[in-house]
Amino acid sequence: MRDNGAVTSATRQPEPPASSTRSASPEQAAVPAVPPRLIATDLDGTLLRDDKSVSPRTVAALAAAEEAGIEVFFVTGRPARWMDVVSDHVHGHGLAICGNGAAVVDLHGGPGAHRFVKVRELARENALDAVRLIREAAPGTVYAVEQTYAFHQEPDYPKMHREIPDTLAPAEELLHPDGAAAGQPVLKILAYHPTLDPDAFLTLARLAVAERATITRSSPSALLEISGPGVSKASTLALCCAERGISHEEVVAFGDMPNDVEMLTWAGQSYAMGNAHPDAIAAASGRTVANNDDGVAVVIEQLLGRQR
């Protein structure tokens, strides 16, 4: 989840990221071994332009894919309440994977009326362990807690989100069984450090927390996103595909940041954006142009052209 202004797979184990020399422009990418049945796309930095809009070209490409019988899934780190930006562009199933795989949400009801279809929560014990271990490894870390319908943060957590937090309190109090976060599942916690390099912070946190949680990032700042063990965009996407009888070879995925790596590795064909993080480029089987140049639409148009 980017600053807002700006799996383990259920069916296939992710492979180590390949060398970035795997990536190619869309014009050089290989024709899919099997016709695609599902397109999985990240939002910020991928489908959305930097001004958070969906271009007319991209809207037309998404509609054309659906008309061709290819399902489109939005797969994002965003919480469900931030999905209004694409709520007008859901077709058919109307589902989106939010919170880096922590929730599958039905967007048919429109902004504020979404329904949680699947929730993969972060256990409070794991969340508290992560808070303690990361704070010990990186003093000065501050936290926020993301739930299905609530958002809480520590007093020193920076103002980088749309909404006013429901509660201001230390993370340990928020996550206590009787704390403000009681009564709703915890989807993820956010950890921010004011001075560390973002990638260095990610590595440090992963070493400190180990298997207690899944840690990734999608922000240009040192903001980490912490989910339950094994919860990722890829693992939840794999579950949704299995329910539909869709194999990973039939999935085309798009992404730009470390939180997309597992999904880009898992999908049969995947594209890193022209503006992507090096880890996303290394994980993808192909590369397209930047989000501001409608990189997702460019590939979809080519895929549909090959099917004709």
Side-chain angles (χ1 to χ4, degrees):
M1 181 184 66
R2 291 176 178 265
D3 299 351
N4 190 49
V7 208
T8 316
S9 156
T11 59
R12 176 191 179 209
Q13 295 294 327
E15 303 160 358
S19 165
S20 60
T21 57
R22 272 180 78 209
S23 298
S25 69
E27 291 75 16
Q28 298 169 317
V31 176
V34 295
R37 293 178 57 195
L38 187 143
I39 290 169
T41 178
D42 173 50
L43 294 182
D44 296 282
T46 300
L47 187 82
L48 304 181
R49 291 187 169 183
D50 287 348
D51 64 2
K52 306 305 176 187
S53 68
V54 185
S55 74
R57 181 179 183 181
T58 297
V59 170
L62 295 176
E66 292 279 359
E67 289 171 6
I70 303 172
E71 292 190 75
V72 176
F73 263 69
F74 301 125
V75 188
T76 178
R78 287 182 173 225
R81 63 185 177 278
W82 289 5
M83 294 300 289
D84 56 300
V85 68
V86 291
S87 60
D88 290 339
H89 309 300
V90 295
H91 304 269
H93 58 79
L95 300 178
I97 296 172
C98 298
N100 289 328
V104 180
V105 183
D106 185 344
L107 302 179
H108 275 138
H114 50 264
R115 179 176 63 90
F116 285 88
V117 176
K118 186 188 303 291
V119 172
R120 305 180 69 194
E121 66 182 293
L122 172 62
R124 280 171 171 71
E125 179 180 357
N126 295 59
L128 285 166
D129 281 347
V131 165
R132 173 179 58 82
L133 292 167
I134 295 174
R135 214 188 300 265
E136 289 174 356
T141 301
V142 290
Y143 296 95
V145 178
E146 185 72 64
Q147 295 185 277
T148 45
Y149 295 104
F151 178 78
H152 316 277
Q153 68 180 57
E154 294 189 321
D156 291 335
Y157 187 85
K159 183 179 176 60
M160 58 175 72
H161 304 286
R162 300 179 178 185
E163 66 269 81
I164 298 172
D166 295 284
T167 311
L168 289 174
E172 294 82 356
E173 291 183 17
L174 293 170
L175 294 166
H176 188 274
D178 298 323
Q184 289 183 38
V186 174
L187 298 184
K188 64 181 179 179
I189 54 177
L190 304 169
Y192 175 82
H193 199 282
T195 60
L196 286 177
D197 171 80
D199 286 327
F201 188 29
L202 176 59
T203 299
L204 182 69
R206 284 175 168 171
L207 290 172
V209 174
E211 302 301 317
R212 295 174 181 86
T214 298
I215 306 178
T216 190
R217 77 175 189 88
S218 60
S219 169
S221 64
L223 177 66
L224 306 183
E225 301 163 62
I226 305 167
S227 306
V231 175
S232 70
K233 290 184 176 185
S235 62
T236 301
L237 177 61
L239 292 172
C240 292
C241 287
E243 291 170 354
R244 288 160 173 74
I246 296 174
S247 69
H248 70 90
E249 291 95 344
E250 298 171 302
V251 176
V252 179
F254 298 87
D256 73 310
M257 287 295 280
N259 65 329
D260 296 310
V261 164
E262 294 89 349
M263 179 174 73
L264 294 172
T265 303
W266 178 80
Q269 188 171 11
S270 58
Y271 292 87
M273 309 305 293
N275 49 290
H277 185 281
D279 288 356
I281 295 171
S285 60
R287 194 162 183 198
T288 184
V289 295
N291 62 316
N292 284 334
D293 297 320
D294 302 326
V296 173
V298 168
V299 174
I300 291 176
E301 289 165 0
Q302 292 192 357
L303 289 173
L304 296 179
R306 291 170 183 162
Q307 286 190 314
R308 293 193 183 100

